[in-house]
Amino acid sequence: MLTCLLTSLPLIVTAQQDIVLNGKLTQGSLVRGQVAPGSSVSLNGEPVKLNAQGKFVIGFERDETLSHTLRVEKPDGTTKSRQITLSKRDYDIQRIDGLDQNMVTPPASVLKRIRRDSANVASARAGDSDNDAVFTRFIWPAKGPITGVYGSQRVLNGDPKRPHYGVDVGGPIGTKVIAPVSGTVTLADDLYYSGNTLIIDHGMRVFSTFLHMDTITVSVGDTVEKGQQIGTIGETGRATGPHLDWRINLGNKRLDPQLLVTGSPND
């Protein structure tokens, strides 16, 4: 058994011999784990990156299949497997009317900008640092009511669109936004859909993205500490009212930030 377990994490830790996992085993979840240093890990046959302490991160998308196999090969060559069964989630349907139609179906004149924005976001999430801030406890990045949840199907001005991949926290323009955990800023820019947008690299290919901000008070390359102010809530981009849209990515996987924190952002 491991003697060094993950600490300071908000979710229930479950352990099986030689494997420690922390996270809710459900669709949309980010799961943090640890094995003996020097081991190798695979999920469904695909290799998983480990840091020097044997820590790793895996993620399960919104509509992920429910059955998975985590395999560990220890330094002595012996192997252990852990079957992971996810719980299935039901998602809300959210209807949003009154949007500027150019934000629902953009005119051809802005398509070049949208493509450039997408490329810049992809570049900002392309890092693979060994920073292990992701293994510490996350906090809510703003105070206010939850006004939108991960996975909900968005119907915009009556037109079905892609699901929502973040959690929305409502609040007056100018409400403080803080870093939910430490990391390095990789993008701070005004984007067509998401307005003033900030991306922070927490390490191990885990990134927070903050959308629709009014102000951004940090710059690309800055190191930010958990609880440090990074900007304020706004209504920029495609938004019908002031709020913060907080998103979590593991590489290209879009996961549920609300599963990483406890309590309510109103607490």
Side-chain angles (χ1 to χ4, degrees):
M1 292 288 292
L2 287 173
T3 57
C4 177
L5 303 183
L6 294 170
T7 58
S8 300
L9 293 175
L11 305 176
I12 297 172
V13 175
T14 60
Q16 183 169 311
Q17 188 172 5
D18 304 305
I19 305 171
V20 174
L21 297 179
N22 178 283
K24 295 183 179 179
L25 299 181
T26 188
Q27 292 170 319
S29 184
L30 179 79
V31 177
R32 293 158 285 187
Q34 189 170 12
V35 294
S39 301
S40 62
V41 175
S42 64
L43 180 66
N44 303 324
E46 295 295 324
V48 175
K49 177 185 175 179
L50 276 69
N51 70 7
Q53 291 76 44
K55 296 177 181 178
F56 63 92
V57 182
I58 55 178
F60 303 100
E61 295 186 279
R62 177 186 187 271
D63 299 309
E64 192 76 63
T65 56
L66 302 183
S67 181
H68 303 269
T69 301
L70 189 70
R71 184 176 182 272
V72 177
E73 182 175 340
K74 298 192 294 183
D76 64 6
T78 59
T79 61
K80 295 286 183 180
S81 293
R82 165 86 182 261
Q83 294 302 124
I84 296 175
T85 301
L86 305 178
S87 61
K88 184 173 176 58
R89 294 175 64 177
D90 295 320
Y91 299 104
D92 295 336
I93 296 178
Q94 187 175 26
R95 302 181 186 276
I96 302 175
D97 297 315
L99 289 168
D100 182 339
Q101 193 59 35
N102 284 341
M103 287 293 182
V104 178
T105 306
S109 59
V110 301
L111 294 181
K112 183 177 180 179
R113 177 187 175 186
I114 292 171
R115 287 192 291 267
R116 183 177 67 248
D117 289 349
S118 296
N120 290 341
V121 167
S123 177
R125 292 181 181 146
D128 192 5
S129 73
D130 287 331
N131 178 10
D132 66 354
V134 65
F135 296 101
T136 58
R137 182 184 296 272
F138 279 68
I139 59 176
W140 283 100
K143 289 188 176 295
I146 294 174
T147 57
V149 296
Y150 172 91
S152 56
Q153 175 66 53
R154 286 280 174 92
V155 181
L156 306 180
N157 290 356
D159 186 10
K161 296 292 183 180
R162 291 185 302 175
H164 184 230
Y165 286 108
V167 58
D168 294 338
V169 179
I173 291 175
T175 300
K176 181 189 294 188
V177 177
I178 62 175
V181 76
S182 64
T184 302
V185 178
T186 59
L187 184 139
D189 200 2
D190 177 19
L191 309 183
Y192 181 78
Y193 280 126
S194 55
N196 291 330
T197 303
L198 179 68
I199 297 179
I200 297 177
D201 178 3
H202 302 305
M204 304 293 287
R205 300 177 62 239
V206 177
F207 297 83
S208 278
T209 305
F210 308 92
L211 288 65
H212 310 302
M213 299 175 74
D214 184 53
T215 62
I216 296 173
T217 56
V218 292
S219 301
V220 172
D222 286 354
T223 298
V224 298
E225 300 299 327
K226 182 169 75 171
Q228 176 183 337
Q229 183 169 359
I230 54 178
T232 57
I233 283 179
E235 194 178 356
T236 57
R238 186 167 70 184
T240 56
H243 71 283
L244 178 72
D245 182 345
W246 174 33
R247 304 190 177 199
I248 287 285
N249 276 70
L250 171 59
N252 293 325
K253 292 184 177 182
R254 295 173 287 197
L255 307 177
D256 187 353
Q258 198 170 348
L259 297 178
L260 294 173
V261 287
T262 57
S264 161
N266 266 327
D267 294 343

